[in-house]
Amino acid sequence: MSAIPRILAFVDLAPRAGGSIISLQLLAQGLAARRCPENGAAPCYRLAVILNAANPAVTRYRDSGAFAGGVQTIGSRQGLGDAYPALVEQARSSGALSRLRQAPTFKAAWQSAGMVVRLAREILPQARRLRAVLARQHPDLVHFNDIVPVSRAGILAASWLHRPIVCHVRALDPLTWFDRWLTRRVDGFIYISQAVADQQRRAGAQARRGLVVPNAVNLDDFPSALRPGALRQELSIAHDAFVVGSLGRLVTWKGHQVALTAFAALTQQCPTAHLLIAGAPDVAEPGLEHELRELAAQLNISDRVTFAGQRDDVPQVLATLDVLCHCAIEPEPFGRVVIEGMAARRPVIASAAGGVVEIIESGVNGLLVPPGDSAALAAALTDLWQHPLKAATLAAAGRQRVETHYTLAQHVAGVEAMYNDILGSVGP
């Protein structure tokens, strides 16, 4: 590797501080610490990043010190849905058109036309803005921190500048005809799980290079010294409560309703049970927290449920729990919270779908239950409450699994392998 730092430009236009933003910051910390073999004092990389101006993580990124090349922002509607004129919205929601859109031929034509409109109204203008920002950074490689459908404008911009492109695929999303065309302009795909890699290939992605690099945690963030007392006091949770936790954005597919229903069944057996739900409402479903609170009231468990909102102290939240539940009702691309819970030495019960089944061996380092099966989840919770030695054994094995498979050093090495392959093929 050259002693001259390679300039890496990252692009993530997510509107909120979700999993991709957390993962990117960890990766940046690891890459910024890398030193070149030819000169141990010289950094291997100079990092720059472009973020959505609406993302509250911008300040945290600027304070991190990892981005010597700067933290730039750009306005973006990513994650906020399409904005249509009133007449178009009225037509889209009309009953007749809704029925017609179910016909396969019309549906395909409708989606193709929609992509053309979106290309003209949103993607191309944003691509031109991104090209201008990227041109000022002079990157050796541009790393898009999410799937092709949300990186369309950036991929166009980087390809116009003839820069090598990496796309970090973090979701199980379909690809349009335009997305499949864009995949030909990507030099390398990094998949966060084998489940994602398989799904993207089935969707028609044409990858010159593809590599599965699982997400990671910084084990230093999860020391054994973390104790539950302070946060339980802050949240008015009894010190001797059996605390079940569910962490993640408040979106329907994350399955908080399953957690509530299963927890209600647990309370029939466990008199000290308490449920802690940590996560912010998603912009796509702003009313979901109210619906979940109503469900808790219907289940007569409101006094045993705490909605903690967005928390930036995830290790401390996890240390407060006795059990972590991952309750997604749809396949999870990876399941960052799962390895975080395992790193925090907490037993994890998770939905058996998507990337999660690549992490947990049920009965060995955690428990798996069918997605959406609140009865199975309730049974697993009751089992761990009744058998604390089993819970401790699973927790210890979970921590060991993270130490051997999901460390930051392993993650950085995997990403660097992709960089070296691409940059080696294009020269300095």
Side-chain angles (χ1 to χ4, degrees):
M1 181 179 289
S2 170
I4 301 174
R6 296 281 194 178
I7 300 174
L8 305 179
F10 294 91
V11 181
D12 190 322
L13 300 184
R16 67 192 73 81
S20 72
I21 289 291
I22 295 169
S23 296
L24 176 55
Q25 187 169 6
L26 279 173
L27 173 60
Q29 289 172 359
L31 290 171
R34 293 280 287 114
R35 293 295 179 265
C36 289
E38 295 84 353
N39 181 353
C44 290
Y45 307 104
R46 180 177 174 84
L47 310 183
V49 66
I50 303 172
L51 299 175
N52 191 327
N55 197 317
V58 169
T59 299
R60 189 167 74 240
Y61 267 56
R62 285 176 172 155
D63 292 342
S64 72
F67 297 96
V71 177
Q72 306 295 320
T73 61
I74 190 169
S76 174
R77 286 192 52 81
Q78 183 173 306
L80 302 178
D82 295 317
Y84 296 100
L87 286 176
V88 176
E89 286 287 1
Q90 185 177 358
R92 292 177 79 245
S93 59
S94 68
L97 186 55
S98 296
R99 289 190 296 272
L100 186 58
R101 285 167 60 189
Q102 300 310 308
T105 302
F106 185 86
K107 182 178 181 180
W110 175 271
Q111 291 175 341
S112 294
M115 177 54 66
V116 171
V117 172
R118 193 175 298 118
L119 183 63
R121 295 178 67 241
E122 299 175 18
I123 298 172
L124 288 176
Q126 182 163 285
R128 287 189 285 270
R129 294 196 299 273
L130 282 169
R131 177 176 59 182
V133 178
L134 287 170
R136 292 194 294 270
Q137 295 172 340
H138 304 289
D140 294 294
L141 180 146
V142 184
H143 183 142
F144 295 96
N145 196 45
D146 215 324
I147 54 176
V148 171
V150 299
S151 303
R152 292 164 179 155
I155 293 172
L156 282 177
S159 65
W160 291 340
L161 294 170
H162 305 289
R163 295 292 81 198
I165 297 169
V166 167
C167 196
H168 209 138
V169 187
R170 301 182 181 278
L172 296 161
D173 278 23
L175 301 177
T176 67
W177 61 267
F178 184 65
D179 299 325
R180 290 190 290 273
W181 179 80
L182 281 176
T183 62
R184 303 173 189 172
R185 276 118 188 101
V186 176
D187 296 277
F189 285 95
I190 296 175
Y191 307 105
I192 61 173
S193 67
Q194 190 61 49
V196 169
D198 293 344
Q199 184 272 336
Q200 287 291 288
R201 289 168 186 146
R202 290 193 300 270
Q206 300 185 37
R208 301 182 205 174
R209 301 171 183 84
L211 184 64
V212 174
V213 181
N215 285 332
V217 295
N218 185 346
L219 291 172
D220 293 342
D221 293 336
F222 298 89
S224 58
L226 286 174
R227 293 290 182 265
L231 189 56
R232 289 196 179 196
Q233 184 176 4
E234 175 191 332
L235 299 175
S236 300
I237 299 174
H239 69 90
D240 60 347
F242 181 78
V243 182
V244 177
S246 177
L247 281 68
R249 287 181 294 126
L250 299 188
V251 288
T252 299
W253 76 269
K254 289 288 188 180
H256 296 91
Q257 64 276 23
V258 177
L260 285 165
T261 304
F263 177 76
L266 172 67
T267 62
Q268 302 304 309
Q269 304 290 326
C270 177
T272 62
H274 196 98
L275 177 61
L276 174 60
I277 296 177
D282 192 271
V283 292
E285 298 184 73
L288 183 58
E289 180 176 340
H290 177 70
E291 295 175 18
L292 294 173
R293 288 180 180 274
E294 284 191 334
L295 177 58
Q298 294 166 12
L299 295 168
N300 199 30
I301 55 173
S302 293
D303 60 337
R304 295 193 184 202
V305 179
T306 296
F307 287 87
Q310 177 67 35
R311 302 288 306 200
D312 294 325
D313 55 344
V314 170
Q316 185 61 65
V317 173
L318 290 167
T320 303
L321 310 180
D322 292 287
V323 180
L324 172 68
C325 288
H326 165 275
C327 305
I329 59 177
E330 297 178 9
E332 181 79 60
F334 179 80
R336 162 166 290 282
V337 71
V338 171
I339 61 171
E340 289 176 334
M342 296 163 80
R345 301 174 178 82
R346 292 299 178 264
V348 179
I349 305 171
S351 295
V356 172
V357 299
E358 300 168 33
I359 303 171
I360 291 181
E361 183 180 353
S362 195
V364 176
N365 51 33
L367 296 176
L368 295 174
V369 296
D373 191 336
S374 58
L377 176 57
L381 286 169
T382 303
D383 182 30
L384 294 186
W385 168 63
Q386 292 177 336
H387 302 96
L389 181 58
K390 177 179 180 179
T393 300
L394 292 175
R399 171 71 185 201
Q400 184 177 25
R401 172 72 172 169
V402 173
E403 290 175 351
T404 56
H405 288 79
Y406 303 107
T407 66
L408 183 55
Q410 289 169 311
H411 183 72
V412 170
V415 172
E416 277 195 299
M418 176 64 77
Y419 291 168
N420 292 337
D421 186 14
I422 294 173
L423 293 173
S425 70
V426 301

